[in-house]
Amino acid sequence: MNPLVRPARLAPGARVAIVAPAGPVAEDRLQAGLDILRGWDLDPVVAPHVLATHPEFGYLAGHDADRAADLQNAWCDPAVDAVLCARGGYGAQRMVDLLDWTAMRAAGPKVFVGFSDVTVLHTAIATRLGLVTLYGPAAAGVDFVKSERAREHLRATLFDPESVRVIHAAPGGRALVPGRARGVTLGGCLSLIGSDLGTPHAGRPARGGLLMLEDVGEQPYRIDRMLTQLLRSGWLDGVAGIALGSWDRCGPYERLRPLLADRLGALGVPVVEEFGFGHCPDALTLPLGVGAELDAESGRLTLTEPALS
């Protein structure tokens, strides 16, 4: 597994497009997020269907074709330097196959930020465009609007990526399995990684990689099932190390921790738990597609080069 191409960092005045590839967006949170971005001296532009809601399926931010068009048009606009997802939810799987990846490749590299359901797009961008992406807070998400720590870590990654080459786990982060490992970062939301297997945009197996995993609203037996699927399919064969993020609303962590140790401990690789990314307060921004070293005992991820060029 080789590092991917790093898009250029942002500079004051950069234009950033806000898209909603999955779930519907609350207008008040969107406006709050836009105010923050303007405060960073960015020029945010909102895609036409960001505040839409599907007429039959209220969990979608409008029709699949409209969500895909918003993302593709933003990516292919030469005036846009970055594409930020307004939120996750569900729906990226329904629109990812509607994107014109040839046109997006011709448009060149751009910064891409999002998390949760947006894992599907992180994987597709890595597979089809070969680009580093940022697994970080959504522009209209609660954490982005309310957490100064989450905002500042994303801002530093976007504007001054050298300053966050060493990413420390949140307080409470510790080794589930001790050790150090080197590899290329990949991953995201566990349920989306599993459901993406066998599709045209599925990522390569985790061999040689440092896998970032988190999820939300899944009971322990479902997490067991998803991890077991990755194990049985061979997708986890040869993984170099694993960082575990948040497991919000996945049951008491004291019940989940033995399960994670049971399913992942036998891989014989370093595993750090409660690293502090995903669906949690003060969520960190993690680049996907960069070379790094994971030190499970110290709870530290050290990038071999800045996330953005």
Side-chain angles (χ1 to χ4, degrees), residues 167-170 243-245 272-277 284 286 299-301:
I167 304 174
H168 297 279
L244 300 173
V272 60
E273 60 182 330
E274 298 191 277
F275 199 86
F277 63 92
L284 297 165
L286 298 184
R300 185 173 65 236
L301 181 71

Side-chain angles (χ1 to χ4, degrees), residues 213-273:
L213 282 182
E214 60 95 21
D215 217 316
V216 61
E218 300 286 356
Q219 289 300 307
Y221 80 92
R222 294 171 61 89
I223 293 172
D224 186 327
R225 183 176 67 200
M226 290 183 277
L227 290 174
T228 300
Q229 179 190 14
L230 295 183
L231 289 165
R232 293 181 66 218
S233 69
W235 195 85
L236 287 172
D237 291 355
V239 66
I242 301 172
L244 300 173
S246 63
W247 303 95
D248 184 43
R249 290 175 286 159
C250 293
Y253 190 69
E254 59 268 23
R255 288 180 55 206
L256 189 58
R257 189 173 193 265
L259 165 62
L260 296 171
D262 176 79
R263 294 288 76 194
L264 301 175
L267 292 169
V269 303
V271 181
V272 60
E273 60 182 330

Side-chain angles (χ1 to χ4, degrees), residues 5-10 110-112 132-134 154 156-162 287 290 303 305-309:
V5 173
R6 297 175 299 142
R9 71 191 65 196
L10 300 186
K110 293 185 193 294
V111 175
F112 181 78
V132 168
T133 56
L134 302 179
L154 174 59
T157 305
L158 292 172
F159 289 96
D160 185 21
E162 287 90 355
V290 299
L303 309 180
E305 56 187 355
L308 304 176
S309 64

Side-chain angles (χ1 to χ4, degrees), residues 177-200:
V177 180
R180 293 186 181 186
R182 288 180 173 268
V184 176
T185 57
L186 76 159
C189 194
L190 170 62
S191 55
L192 275 300
I193 292 172
S195 59
D196 217 25
L197 295 184
T199 70

Side-chain angles (χ1 to χ4, degrees), residues 14-38:
R15 176 165 289 185
V16 297
I18 312 301
V19 300
V25 177
E27 185 171 5
D28 57 340
R29 287 190 196 162
L30 175 64
Q31 294 304 324
L34 294 174
D35 288 343
I36 292 167
L37 295 171
R38 293 187 186 107

